Amino acid sequence: MKKKGFFAEFKEFIARGNVMDMAVGVIIGGAFGKISASLVNDIIMPLISMLTGGIDFSAWKWVLKAAVGETPEVAVNFGVFLATVLDFIIIAFAVFCMIRAINSLHRKKEEPVEEEPAPTPEPSAEELLLTEIRDLLKENKGE
């Protein structure tokens, strides 16, 4: 068995359809991440800041050590962290809704289509004759 070269294996890997689908997903995911970040930073956070008295949400922090001269301050920027968490929740919710919709479509494809039951066939002439004989025998037995 001949061993494939590195570039031949790479070419085979790239040529697979699922790799291309993954690349498209990564690109769209990156664009969606930007939209989600803008939603959080430009719409939701200003509304929250307005509710908190106009404080810039991203400026929320605990200063551990104030800036002295050219030494920068040391602070815990929890406002930025909360914005990032909110951004994650929005993305996770959107992905959940998308996966749920896809699963719903897959379930509909897998469900068998219920067909109407076939009408019962009419009995043949022989069956009708045998049924009459049976009924007559039952009547005669009862007498």
Side-chain angles (χ1 to χ4, degrees):
M1 187 169 170
K2 186 178 178 184
K3 188 175 181 183
K4 291 183 181 181
F6 178 80
F7 289 108
E9 284 184 52
F10 182 69
K11 181 180 176 185
E12 184 180 320
F13 174 75
I14 291 298
R16 291 184 190 153
N18 56 358
V19 173
M20 298 306 283
D21 293 342
M22 184 178 68
V24 170
V26 167
I27 292 168
I28 290 182
F32 183 76
K34 290 180 182 180
I35 291 170
S36 174
S38 177
L39 173 68
V40 170
N41 295 329
D42 302 329
I43 296 174
I44 294 174
M45 292 309 164
L47 293 172
I48 291 174
S49 293
M50 191 173 74
L51 293 174
T52 60
I55 299 171
D56 180 16
F57 191 76
S58 63
W60 287 4
K61 58 186 173 184
W62 289 310
V63 177
L64 302 174
K65 182 179 175 188
V68 178
E70 291 188 24
T71 306
E73 74 178 4
V74 177
V76 175
N77 297 316
F78 68 91
V80 175
F81 175 73
L82 291 176
T84 304
V85 169
L86 187 57
D87 191 32
F88 169 77
I89 290 171
I90 290 170
I91 292 172
F93 180 73
V95 169
F96 168 75
C97 290
M98 183 179 69
I99 297 296
R100 189 168 185 237
I102 290 170
N103 287 342
S104 174
L105 289 174
H106 284 292
R107 278 192 295 269
K108 285 182 182 178
K109 282 183 180 178
E110 292 172 0
E111 289 178 2
V113 178
E114 292 185 26
E115 297 178 13
E116 292 184 26
T120 54
E122 292 292 322
S124 66
E126 293 171 344
E127 289 176 319
L128 289 173
L129 183 60
L130 288 171
T131 304
E132 278 184 44
I133 293 171
R134 182 196 67 203
D135 293 342
L136 287 172
L137 288 171
K138 280 183 183 178
E139 286 178 16
N140 287 338
K141 205 178 203 185
E143 292 178 3

